[in-house]
Amino acid sequence: MPCVPLVAGNWKMNKTVAEAEQLIQALLPRVASLDGVEIAICPPFTALRAMIDSAFGSRVAVFAQNMHEADHGAFTGEISVPMLRDVGVSGVIIGHSERRAYFGETDERLASKLPVALDAGLQPILCVGESESQRLAGETESLLRRQLEAAFANVEPERYADVAIAYEPIWAIGTGRVATLEQAQEACAFARSVLAESSEEAERTRILYGGSVTAENAAELLALPDVDGALVGGASLSAESFAAICAGALL
Ligand code: 13P
Protein backbone atom coordinates (compact mmCIF):
# COMPACT_ATOMS: atom_id res chain seq x y z
CA MET A 1 0.00 0.00 0.00
CA PRO A 2 1.89 3.09 -1.20
CA CYS A 3 -0.09 5.72 0.72
CA VAL A 4 -2.19 6.40 3.79
CA PRO A 5 -5.36 4.33 3.36
CA LEU A 6 -8.71 6.06 3.12
CA VAL A 7 -11.83 4.52 4.60
CA ALA A 8 -15.04 6.38 3.77
CA GLY A 9 -18.57 5.68 4.98
CA ASN A 10 -21.26 6.45 2.43
CA TRP A 11 -24.43 6.91 4.44
CA LYS A 12 -26.50 7.28 1.24
CA MET A 13 -30.07 8.52 1.94
CA ASN A 14 -30.02 7.64 5.62
CA LYS A 15 -30.04 9.59 8.92
CA THR A 16 -31.89 12.65 10.08
CA VAL A 17 -29.72 15.21 11.83
CA ALA A 18 -30.57 13.73 15.24
CA GLU A 19 -29.77 10.20 14.06
CA ALA A 20 -26.55 11.38 12.42
CA GLU A 21 -25.57 13.06 15.67
CA GLN A 22 -26.04 9.81 17.58
CA LEU A 23 -23.95 7.92 15.05
CA ILE A 24 -21.03 10.33 15.03
CA GLN A 25 -20.97 10.58 18.81
CA ALA A 26 -20.68 6.79 18.95
CA LEU A 27 -18.05 6.76 16.21
CA LEU A 28 -15.63 9.48 17.36
CA PRO A 29 -14.28 7.77 20.51
CA ARG A 30 -13.95 4.47 18.63
CA VAL A 31 -11.66 5.92 15.96
CA ALA A 32 -9.82 8.53 18.05
CA SER A 33 -6.62 6.48 18.31
CA LEU A 34 -6.50 5.12 14.75
CA ASP A 35 -3.41 6.91 13.49
CA GLY A 36 -2.35 5.92 10.00
CA VAL A 37 -5.77 5.76 8.34
CA GLU A 38 -7.76 8.63 6.89
CA ILE A 39 -11.42 8.39 7.83
CA ALA A 40 -14.34 10.13 6.15
CA ILE A 41 -18.09 10.04 6.55
CA CYS A 42 -20.43 11.04 3.72
CA PRO A 43 -23.76 12.04 5.27
CA PRO A 44 -26.74 13.37 3.30
CA PHE A 45 -26.59 17.11 2.50
CA THR A 46 -29.00 18.00 5.31
CA ALA A 47 -26.66 16.62 7.98
CA LEU A 48 -23.37 17.97 6.57
CA ARG A 49 -23.22 21.11 8.69
CA ALA A 50 -24.05 19.31 11.92
CA MET A 51 -21.48 16.58 11.21
CA ILE A 52 -18.78 19.13 10.40
CA ASP A 53 -19.41 20.85 13.72
CA SER A 54 -19.40 17.55 15.61
CA ALA A 55 -16.30 16.20 13.84
CA PHE A 56 -14.32 19.40 14.41
CA GLY A 57 -10.89 18.62 15.85
CA SER A 58 -11.35 14.85 15.35
CA ARG A 59 -9.81 12.38 12.90
CA VAL A 60 -13.03 12.22 10.89
CA ALA A 61 -13.43 14.24 7.69
CA VAL A 62 -16.83 15.03 6.22
CA PHE A 63 -17.48 14.44 2.52
CA ALA A 64 -20.56 15.00 0.37
CA GLN A 65 -22.21 12.30 -1.76
CA ASN A 66 -22.56 14.38 -4.92
CA MET A 67 -21.94 17.86 -6.39
CA HIS A 68 -22.86 19.96 -9.42
CA GLU A 69 -20.07 21.21 -11.66
CA ALA A 70 -21.41 24.78 -11.97
CA ASP A 71 -20.71 27.32 -9.21
CA HIS A 72 -24.33 28.50 -9.12
CA GLY A 73 -27.33 28.87 -11.41
CA ALA A 74 -30.71 27.51 -12.38
CA PHE A 75 -30.18 23.87 -11.42
CA THR A 76 -33.08 23.07 -9.14
CA GLY A 77 -32.23 20.60 -6.41
CA GLU A 78 -28.48 20.65 -6.98
CA ILE A 79 -25.60 21.65 -4.68
CA SER A 80 -22.42 23.37 -5.91
CA VAL A 81 -18.82 23.02 -4.80
CA PRO A 82 -18.66 26.57 -3.34
CA MET A 83 -21.71 25.65 -1.23
CA LEU A 84 -19.95 22.50 -0.01
CA ARG A 85 -16.78 24.45 0.77
CA ASP A 86 -18.89 27.06 2.56
CA VAL A 87 -20.09 24.51 5.13
CA GLY A 88 -16.62 22.97 5.52
CA VAL A 89 -16.88 19.81 3.43
CA SER A 90 -13.47 18.40 2.46
CA GLY A 91 -14.29 15.77 -0.15
CA VAL A 92 -17.00 14.43 -2.43
CA ILE A 93 -18.12 11.14 -3.97
CA ILE A 94 -18.46 11.43 -7.74
CA GLY A 95 -20.25 9.03 -10.06
CA HIS A 96 -21.57 6.49 -7.58
CA SER A 97 -23.29 3.69 -9.48
CA GLU A 98 -26.60 4.69 -7.87
CA ARG A 99 -26.20 8.20 -9.33
CA ARG A 100 -25.34 6.70 -12.69
CA ALA A 101 -28.24 4.22 -12.64
CA TYR A 102 -31.05 6.27 -11.10
CA PHE A 103 -30.11 9.86 -11.94
CA GLY A 104 -28.61 9.56 -15.38
CA GLU A 105 -25.04 10.60 -14.56
CA THR A 106 -22.82 10.04 -17.57
CA ASP A 107 -19.06 9.67 -17.92
CA GLU A 108 -19.02 13.04 -19.72
CA ARG A 109 -20.74 14.71 -16.79
CA LEU A 110 -18.21 13.23 -14.40
CA ALA A 111 -15.38 14.48 -16.59
CA SER A 112 -16.61 18.00 -15.95
CA LYS A 113 -17.09 17.45 -12.21
CA LEU A 114 -13.68 16.03 -11.40
CA PRO A 115 -11.55 19.12 -12.22
CA VAL A 116 -14.03 21.40 -10.45
CA ALA A 117 -13.72 19.37 -7.25
CA LEU A 118 -9.92 19.26 -7.54
CA ASP A 119 -9.61 23.00 -8.21
CA ALA A 120 -11.64 23.71 -5.09
CA GLY A 121 -9.36 21.51 -2.99
CA LEU A 122 -11.96 18.81 -2.38
CA GLN A 123 -10.83 15.17 -2.25
CA PRO A 124 -12.86 13.44 -4.96
CA ILE A 125 -13.73 9.74 -4.74
CA LEU A 126 -14.58 8.66 -8.28
CA CYS A 127 -16.66 5.47 -8.39
CA VAL A 128 -16.32 2.89 -11.15
CA GLY A 129 -17.48 -0.69 -11.47
CA GLU A 130 -19.26 -3.23 -13.60
CA SER A 131 -22.70 -4.81 -13.44
CA GLU A 132 -23.11 -8.54 -13.06
CA SER A 133 -23.98 -8.99 -16.73
CA GLN A 134 -20.93 -7.01 -17.78
CA ARG A 135 -18.72 -9.23 -15.60
CA LEU A 136 -20.30 -12.39 -16.98
CA ALA A 137 -19.79 -11.11 -20.52
CA GLY A 138 -16.09 -10.55 -19.82
CA GLU A 139 -16.46 -6.78 -20.13
CA THR A 140 -15.15 -5.72 -16.73
CA GLU A 141 -11.80 -4.41 -17.93
CA SER A 142 -13.12 -2.64 -21.02
CA LEU A 143 -15.81 -0.98 -18.89
CA LEU A 144 -13.32 0.12 -16.21
CA ARG A 145 -11.03 1.50 -18.90
CA ARG A 146 -13.87 3.43 -20.51
CA GLN A 147 -15.11 4.87 -17.21
CA LEU A 148 -11.62 5.89 -16.06
CA GLU A 149 -10.44 7.36 -19.34
CA ALA A 150 -13.64 9.37 -19.73
CA ALA A 151 -13.67 10.70 -16.17
CA PHE A 152 -9.98 11.66 -16.21
CA ALA A 153 -10.21 13.39 -19.60
CA ASN A 154 -9.77 16.85 -18.04
CA VAL A 155 -7.42 15.96 -15.17
CA GLU A 156 -3.75 16.94 -15.49
CA PRO A 157 -1.41 13.93 -15.12
CA GLU A 158 0.32 15.53 -12.12
CA ARG A 159 -3.01 15.60 -10.28
CA TYR A 160 -3.86 11.92 -10.59
CA ALA A 161 -2.77 11.18 -7.03
CA ASP A 162 -5.23 13.79 -5.72
CA VAL A 163 -8.16 11.68 -6.94
CA ALA A 164 -9.25 8.56 -5.10
CA ILE A 165 -10.94 5.81 -7.12
CA ALA A 166 -13.54 3.50 -5.64
CA TYR A 167 -13.87 0.20 -7.47
CA GLU A 168 -17.41 -0.85 -6.63
CA PRO A 169 -18.75 -3.82 -8.58
CA ILE A 170 -22.50 -3.14 -8.80
CA TRP A 171 -23.37 -6.76 -8.03
CA ALA A 172 -21.56 -6.47 -4.69
CA ILE A 173 -23.31 -3.29 -3.51
CA GLY A 174 -25.80 -3.94 -0.74
CA THR A 175 -26.05 -7.62 -1.64
CA GLY A 176 -23.73 -9.26 0.89
CA ARG A 177 -21.89 -10.74 -2.11
CA VAL A 178 -18.46 -9.24 -1.55
CA ALA A 179 -15.95 -9.62 -4.37
CA THR A 180 -13.39 -12.35 -3.84
CA LEU A 181 -9.92 -11.16 -2.87
CA GLU A 182 -8.75 -12.17 -6.32
CA GLN A 183 -11.50 -10.21 -8.09
CA ALA A 184 -10.91 -7.10 -5.97
CA GLN A 185 -7.13 -7.17 -6.43
CA GLU A 186 -7.37 -7.87 -10.15
CA ALA A 187 -9.79 -5.01 -10.83
CA CYS A 188 -7.96 -2.48 -8.64
CA ALA A 189 -4.60 -3.40 -10.20
CA PHE A 190 -6.16 -3.06 -13.64
CA ALA A 191 -7.58 0.37 -12.77
CA ARG A 192 -4.13 1.47 -11.61
CA SER A 193 -2.54 0.19 -14.81
CA VAL A 194 -4.99 2.23 -16.88
CA LEU A 195 -4.13 5.39 -14.93
CA ALA A 196 -0.42 4.58 -15.19
CA GLU A 197 -0.65 4.80 -18.98
CA SER A 198 -1.26 8.54 -18.58
CA SER A 199 0.46 9.50 -15.34
CA GLU A 200 3.45 8.54 -13.23
CA GLU A 201 1.37 9.55 -10.23
CA ALA A 202 -0.87 6.47 -10.59
CA GLU A 203 1.29 4.60 -8.05
CA ARG A 204 0.10 7.10 -5.45
CA THR A 205 -3.56 7.22 -6.52
CA ARG A 206 -5.63 5.64 -3.78
CA ILE A 207 -7.86 2.89 -5.08
CA LEU A 208 -10.59 1.83 -2.68
CA TYR A 209 -12.73 -1.27 -2.81
CA GLY A 210 -16.48 -0.96 -2.16
CA GLY A 211 -19.33 -3.46 -2.10
CA SER A 212 -20.51 -5.41 0.97
CA VAL A 213 -17.45 -4.49 3.05
CA THR A 214 -17.99 -5.60 6.66
CA ALA A 215 -16.03 -5.67 9.90
CA GLU A 216 -15.37 -9.34 9.15
CA ASN A 217 -13.98 -9.07 5.61
CA ALA A 218 -12.36 -5.60 5.67
CA ALA A 219 -8.87 -6.44 6.92
CA GLU A 220 -8.10 -8.97 4.19
CA LEU A 221 -9.48 -6.72 1.44
CA LEU A 222 -7.50 -3.77 2.77
CA ALA A 223 -4.33 -5.86 2.86
CA LEU A 224 -4.43 -6.47 -0.91
CA PRO A 225 -1.51 -4.82 -2.71
CA ASP A 226 -3.62 -2.54 -4.92
CA VAL A 227 -6.39 -1.78 -2.44
CA ASP A 228 -5.71 1.47 -0.57
CA GLY A 229 -8.93 1.79 1.36
CA ALA A 230 -12.64 1.08 1.38
CA LEU A 231 -15.90 2.79 0.50
CA VAL A 232 -18.45 1.38 2.90
CA GLY A 233 -22.23 1.59 2.62
CA GLY A 234 -24.45 -0.38 4.99
CA ALA A 235 -21.76 -1.21 7.54
CA SER A 236 -20.93 2.50 7.95
CA LEU A 237 -24.34 3.03 9.57
CA SER A 238 -23.09 1.21 12.66
CA ALA A 239 -20.36 2.92 14.69
CA GLU A 240 -19.00 -0.43 15.88
CA SER A 241 -18.77 -1.93 12.41
CA PHE A 242 -17.36 1.17 10.75
CA ALA A 243 -14.74 1.65 13.46
CA ALA A 244 -13.72 -2.00 13.10
CA ILE A 245 -13.37 -1.55 9.34
CA CYS A 246 -11.22 1.55 9.87
CA ALA A 247 -9.05 -0.43 12.30
CA GLY A 248 -8.77 -3.16 9.68
CA ALA A 249 -6.84 -0.76 7.47
CA LEU A 250 -4.02 -0.78 10.02
CA LEU A 251 -3.56 -4.55 10.25
P1 13P B 1 -22.57 -1.58 0.73
O1 13P B 1 -21.35 -1.48 1.61
O2 13P B 1 -23.85 -1.40 1.49
O3 13P B 1 -22.54 -2.78 -0.14
O4 13P B 1 -22.53 -0.30 -0.25
C1 13P B 1 -21.37 -0.03 -0.94
C2 13P B 1 -21.48 1.31 -1.53
O5 13P B 1 -22.25 1.53 -2.45
C3 13P B 1 -20.65 2.38 -0.95
O6 13P B 1 -20.67 3.50 -1.76
Side-chain angles (χ1 to χ4, degrees):
M1 207 179 278
C3 31
V4 179
L6 169 64
V7 177
N10 177 7
W11 293 2
K12 307 193 179 183
M13 197 175 73
N14 293 290
K15 305 293 176 189
T16 62
V17 172
E19 290 165 348
E21 200 60 60
Q22 276 190 338
L23 180 51
I24 196 169
Q25 292 310 336
L27 180 65
L28 290 176
R30 288 176 163 86
V31 297
S33 63
L34 296 183
D35 291 331
V37 54
E38 246 177 77
I39 302 169
I41 55 170
C42 315
F45 288 127
T46 45
L48 284 174
R49 185 57 185 256
M51 294 305 93
I52 285 157
D53 289 345
S54 297
F56 185 78
S58 80
R59 316 191 37 78
V60 176
V62 180
F63 288 14
Q65 298 175 15
N66 186 30
M67 54 165 274
H68 194 280
E69 63 273 23
D71 277 2
H72 56 84
F75 301 105
T76 301
E78 291 291 315
I79 301 286
S80 74
V81 166
M83 292 168 181
L84 296 177
R85 295 295 300 167
D86 186 40
V87 290
V89 163
S90 53
V92 61
I93 300 174
I94 292 180
H96 191 280
S97 63
E98 288 150 15
R99 302 275 337 152
R100 295 178 189 253
Y102 307 141
F103 304 101
E105 294 232 15
T106 60
D107 286 328
E108 291 65 38
R109 199 68 201 289
L110 304 176
S112 60
K113 292 188 180 197
L114 210 40
V116 173
L118 284 172
D119 287 349
L122 293 183
Q123 161 75 71
I125 303 179
L126 171 76
C127 300
V128 295
E130 80 288 359
S131 66
E132 177 144 53
S133 60
Q134 287 166 328
R135 175 162 282 272
L136 291 174
E139 294 167 5
T140 300
E141 293 196 347
S142 56
L143 183 274
L144 292 178
R145 172 179 291 282
R146 195 166 70 239
Q147 288 182 327
L148 289 166
E149 288 180 349
F152 275 77
N154 305 319
V155 178
E156 301 294 327
E158 55 273 18
R159 301 219 65 180
Y160 274 38
D162 298 333
V163 182
I165 310 290
Y167 167 61
E168 298 207 305
I170 295 168
W171 46 271
I173 295 177
T175 58
R177 282 177 56 205
V178 65
T180 65
L181 297 179
E182 195 183 3
Q183 288 168 329
Q185 166 57 24
E186 204 172 63
C188 291
F190 177 76
R192 194 181 306 284
S193 75
V194 171
L195 300 179
E197 291 169 13
S198 312
S199 169
E200 288 175 4
E201 293 296 302
E203 265 312 300
R204 298 194 305 118
T205 301
R206 290 186 289 192
I207 303 187
L208 321 184
Y209 168 79
S212 296
V213 175
T214 63
E216 290 69 37
N217 63 27
E220 50 185 9
L221 286 161
L222 288 160
L224 293 168
D226 280 287
V227 174
D228 310 310
L231 183 56
V232 185
S236 71
L237 299 174
S238 148
E240 292 79 5
S241 299
F242 188 60
I245 293 167
C246 294
L250 300 177
L251 298 177

